[in-house]
Amino acid sequence: MTSGLSDIVTDERTGLIGERAFLAKVNGIVSESPSGQWCLIAIDLDHFRLFNDWYGREEGDFLLAEIGARLVEEEALTGGLAGYRGQDDFCLLAPFDKARIDALFDDISAFVAKRGTAGGFMPVFGIGLVDGPSTSMDLLDRALVAARNAKGDFRKRICVFRQPMIDQIEREYRLLSDFLHGLENGEIIFYLQPQCRMSTGKIIGVEALARWRRADGTMVPPDEFVPVLEKHGFITNLDCFIWEDVCAHLQAWTSLGHAAIPVSVNVSQVDFFLVDIPDHFQQLVEKYGLDPSLLKIEITESAYMESMAIVNDAASRLRKLGFLVFMDDFGSGYSSLNMLRDIELDAIKLDAQFLRMGSDGGHKGIHILESVINMAKSLNLPIICEGVETEEQVRFLKGQGCRYVQGYRFYRPMPADEFERIIDDGALLDMRGLVVKANEQIRTRELLDENVYSDSMLNNILGPVAMYSWRGGDIDIVRFNEQFYELIDSPAFHDLRRGIQRLMPRDERPKLFHLLSQAEDNELNGSAGMLRFLRYGGAVRRYFFRFYYLGKRDGGRLFYGSVRDVTELTALQAQMKLISRFSSDSMVFVRKLGSGIVYTVVAHGLERAMGLSVEEFQNELASGAFINRIVEDDVRAMLSDQDVFSVKEMLARFRIRTDSGELFDLSVKSDAVDDEATDVVAILVFRAH
Ligand code: C2E
Ligand code: CA
Ligand code: CA
């Protein structure tokens, strides 16, 4: 292999040779030396990109040059060899001498430390030892595996490669290989777990759960192989097999005269990238002559959220073809009411892990469960509670209005033939199935009942919000709601509230000031943008902010802002979806100016949908004309009509008529803002359903 010019010429910044030249020379040195004399050290800086963000590129380049010079010195002293692998990655062939290596580590740490906040930017050394005949590639591989082991652990920054580190990788490969053989040899089967109507305990459906019955008879649970299959991309082999086997069983049941019970199958996020899911299922039901409504496709919430565009598109096509789509493990991920509104789906599966949290004494789990159930209800979605084990849990869930259940309390997963004996007994079956999209409209009066619409749910509509004050060069957090506090999730929150710009990478700070200035210049629409903040421990998180200007106070300026953590939603489409979701409400500030009330619309989803201009909408609110749009029956149903748009905290749902006679189903939430610092007395959120 010819080495490129860039490998021979030394790197300008570091004064070191490139990786390829380094590896070639190392081969020459170690082939003539005994085991244990040399070792290869992979040197890497934690969060180097962050270092560049924080101190600037130039300073980053200085640091690299300093390290390069120190390694050249080491080279000369020991007869070893140093190389530069690009970015913040260095390599060094050196004698395996602990004291020397420690000294080198300390020197490099000192280069970082003299620039200030060293903690998060500490170097990491991974060491591969020359041990028997080894090539330079082997050595580098070992060094890198060791470095990966050292990363993320502040106490163990120097790590020597040991065999168990790759044993884990080998174990996974062995499992994959065994699994693929097992799949060929008929060792993969599925168990069936019935889903029941809570009130009667009768079976309305069943879920197929993969099992691996090894040749020696041991049964491997999916938790031991599904994650490994997903990690390496082989989950689709399992899933396609299970889906087809399920269809074959469904065909057999109907031809034998059994009742046709709808079956849930699991679809992994990976599958969406490897198979055209709707197309695949369409072919299966054609092949086996099945009604598509017999298949319920379970997709986890995280798959929806992480691959929003592709999953939602597939779900939409599946439903058009007549399949049912369920969201699995709801409540474990990121979805909020905002995001759920127009996701394609027929029912939600809720894991009762939240209930188990509750029984430990804490009530947090119960609260999460309540608000999640309320969220599903307001979307008219049936809920299946999973993992229900006790009668007490059944009672609680019934009280919450949950109708369907899957759990050990009713049936455990069982082999297919056992299930077939059960469905032979028609008395245990409930052929009405899930009442999908049942008429579960919530009435206005119920909406005003706090048992139906919990506080957590209201917070879900608003999301994390806070009020900021800008004085001189500092941005302080003046007020914030519970969700905001949870989002920040720092034990030091109350110290961090002052001068929050300090929590941002240096070059990002002007962006915050720019966004606030923009909001001030544009009182009507405010401003919006992505900002990066540094979290405790050095991680960078990305937040999507929306700011509105509220007015002057004590020589400072006040702003109101909503925020979402969008770090995890890396897919651009997911972000776009999230951002557009932000503007689907109308948000109105109610301000008291002198003796009058002024309405300022700050988000424009609703009136745009109604065909009103911002001015028209504001005027109608101010004159009371908007109340006249409410459908008469709904006005009567409301407890108090004169307070609807006043400053009280309330939530109401009713229909309104547009100028063209179209009806809108609407909810309005009012939050009193009890703060003397601003003339805003309430915030109204209008939402069309
Ligand atoms: P899942 O889809 O959420 O399935 C429900 C899991 O909860 C099953 O575990 C079931 O046995 C268990 N479960 C049901 N009732 C109770 C209960 O009352 N208490 C408790 N503690 N657990 C209960 P299982 O069968 O071990 O499957 C675990 C996970 O493996 C599944 O979670 C699913 O994510 C995955 N999985 C199973 N089969 C397949 C498959 O064919 N394809 C894919 N992609 N994943 C699968
Ligand atoms: Ca499932
Ligand atoms: Ca589940």
Side-chain angles (χ1 to χ4, degrees), residues 207 209 266 298 328 349 386:
E207 176 173 8
L209 295 159
N266 290 286
E298 295 196 359
D328 205 352
K349 293 187 79 176
E386 261 188 302

Side-chain angles (χ1 to χ4, degrees), residues 188-191 193-194 207-211 220-227 229-230 235-236 238-243 246 264-269 271 298 300 328-329 349 351-352 356 385-390 393 405-413:
I188 307 303
I189 55 168
F190 60 78
Y191 270 20
Q193 186 181 28
E207 176 173 8
L209 295 159
R211 293 292 182 268
V220 189
D223 290 343
E224 280 176 33
F225 60 91
V226 165
L229 294 178
E230 281 183 329
I235 189 71
T236 312
L238 168 73
D239 286 340
C240 289
F241 171 78
I242 299 279
W243 302 337
V246 162
S264 278
V265 291
N266 290 286
V267 176
S268 160
Q269 187 176 354
D271 297 335
E298 295 196 359
T300 58
D328 205 352
D329 302 334
K349 293 187 79 176
D351 202 295
R356 290 195 275 280
C385 271
E386 261 188 302
V388 176
E389 293 179 351
T390 66
Q393 292 170 341
V405 63
Q406 178 183 340
Y408 296 170
R409 171 69 187 80
F410 293 82
Y411 296 96
R412 284 180 176 261

